[in-house]
Amino acid sequence: MIARHPAESPSLALPGLVVHADWSTGPTKRWMTQAVLGTTGRYRLSPPEPVGETTMLLRRLRDTAGTTDCVLLGFDFPIGLPIAYARRAGIDNFLTLLRELAEGARPDFFRVATRLSEVGLDRPFFPQGDATGLKRADFLTTLGFTKDELYRRCERARPARAAAAPLFWTVGGNQVGKAALAAWREVLCPGLLDRSLDLAIWPFAGPLASLLAPGRIVVAETYPAECYVHLGLDLRRTPTGGKSGKRVQSSRAANGPAFIAWAAANGVELDARLADELGSGFGPNENGEDRFDATVGLAGMLNVILGRQPSGEPDEEQICRLEGWILGQPG
């Protein structure tokens, strides 16, 4: 069991275990970083590790935290549906949809369509295979929406909004649909069926302050790029003057000191191995950017937990019921 401490931020109880998973369609690109609350009331961050087998992820984290600690788990994939689609598909509540899917209702929802003729409100994800010769505009016309209607409000407010495709389009380097499908099917749906986990998905189940309770697992959507500014990171930094960005090791390494300074200013302890990884920009391997974002996303979550950044959930009821929100993004 993780040692708990009674300290609280100005508005939030402190979970015993905070975890951020940088998610992708492929299992090898799924990495997570953990922060454990010690008896001194300080969080200690460990180096990122592979997410591993997904259907047992929640159970593994519950075992790590023990039965009485709260676990806050952040995922970098969409959690929620565009309101325009939900209304037309007869979906009134995203959590209700997940429970229906977990129990076998709407059997075509998780089946990515292979042809335009298969696309519809009950089977909105497309295409399954090669998109050569396919146009996203034709898909949108078939489904019956404009591209803008298939963005959630929190996505429209993101920096670099053009970086992601609409939820239901499943090909290309900027697609998020297949990653979301895999996570909904393999993590969220089984978790909701397992009553022993006491799983709550923010903000659908309520404001964050009301969800952080002993023994509960709270899941929230994250967006690491949203955290860069909050943490004082700038991925344009590079000592070489050449290419920059999170895919460039030198840019990640150039931001290591800023991250370490953030940790020191907020009383967050870093495992020595993590400090080394920050200094090296998480190495030259292809997964360096995934491990970087797993760590940055965790720091962004801690910023919220420690009262440095508001959780951000809007007051608009239909947003919190259907579309969801990104933790730490202003409402």
Side-chain angles (χ1 to χ4, degrees):
M1 180 185 299
I2 294 170
R4 297 183 65 219
H5 189 273
E8 291 187 352
S9 74
S11 59
L12 299 176
L14 296 180
L17 178 64
V18 184
V19 183
H20 180 256
D22 187 66
W23 204 259
S24 181
T25 303
T28 60
K29 288 183 69 64
R30 297 173 186 162
W31 289 78
M32 64 182 182
T33 306
Q34 303 186 33
V36 174
L37 183 66
T39 55
T40 63
R42 291 172 175 255
Y43 281 104
R44 183 173 181 83
L45 275 61
S46 301
E49 60 186 283
V51 167
E53 204 280 323
T54 53
T55 60
M56 293 300 294
L57 174 61
L58 299 180
R59 176 57 57 191
R60 293 201 317 268
L61 295 179
R62 167 48 62 219
D63 291 343
T64 297
T67 58
T68 59
D69 275 307
C70 179
V71 178
L72 177 61
L73 172 59
F75 284 115
D76 181 20
F77 59 75
I79 304 179
L81 292 169
I83 285 177
Y85 165 80
R87 285 174 174 167
R88 203 174 302 173
I91 298 168
D92 185 64
N93 187 295
F94 181 67
L95 291 184
T96 300
L97 171 68
L98 288 181
R99 291 189 180 96
E100 289 176 350
L101 293 172
E103 293 168 353
R106 301 178 185 260
D108 287 335
F109 188 85
F110 284 134
R111 295 176 59 225
V112 181
T114 57
R115 297 184 295 272
L116 276 174
S117 60
E118 298 171 338
V119 170
L121 294 176
D122 290 332
R123 195 175 180 184
F125 290 87
F126 176 82
Q128 171 59 38
D130 185 11
T132 302
L134 297 174
K135 295 181 179 180
R136 190 160 61 187
D138 293 335
F139 160 68
L140 293 170
T141 298
T142 301
L143 191 57
F145 298 92
T146 66
K147 183 173 74 170
D148 189 62
E149 285 177 318
L150 294 185
Y151 284 125
R152 298 173 299 150
R153 195 174 91 186
C154 60
E155 292 167 334
R156 297 189 189 102
R158 286 181 177 183
R161 173 77 287 273
L167 173 65
F168 300 126
W169 182 253
T170 61
V171 292
N174 65 347
Q175 69 87 18
V176 295
K178 286 187 177 178
L181 273 181
W184 296 0
R185 181 177 58 242
E186 298 168 20
V187 181
L188 300 188
C189 286
L192 287 172
L193 281 187
D194 187 348
R195 295 185 179 180
S196 68
L197 288 176
D198 189 13
L199 175 65
I201 303 178
W202 174 88
F204 308 96
L208 188 63
S210 71
L211 300 181
L212 298 176
R216 179 173 290 159
I217 298 177
V218 181
V219 166
E221 179 180 347
T222 62
Y223 186 52
E226 177 78 24
C227 305
Y228 295 160
V229 174
H230 304 166
L231 301 174
L233 308 183
D234 185 348
L235 271 297
R236 296 170 297 180
R237 292 172 181 154
T238 174
T240 63
K243 290 184 178 179
S244 62
K246 73 171 184 176
R247 292 180 173 85
V248 180
Q249 181 186 0
S250 60
S251 283
R252 299 193 299 264
N255 280 275
F259 189 100
I260 292 170
W262 168 86
N266 289 279
V268 174
E269 300 173 353
L270 304 179
D271 183 284
R273 295 167 298 164
L274 177 58
D276 288 343
E277 290 213 46
L278 286 162
S280 70
F282 293 88
N285 294 335
E286 190 175 283
N287 61 28
E289 64 174 294
D290 307 310
R291 289 153 56 213
F292 176 80
D293 268 353
T295 304
V296 168
L298 177 61
M301 295 172 68
L302 291 179
N303 245 7
V304 173
I305 293 301
L306 296 174
R308 310 296 188 262
Q309 183 75 19
S311 54
E313 65 261 31
D315 293 332
E316 193 171 342
E317 187 267 342
Q318 65 177 349
I319 296 292
C320 294
R321 190 180 73 248
L322 285 168
E323 287 202 337
W325 202 253
I326 294 166
L327 188 67
Q329 180 172 289

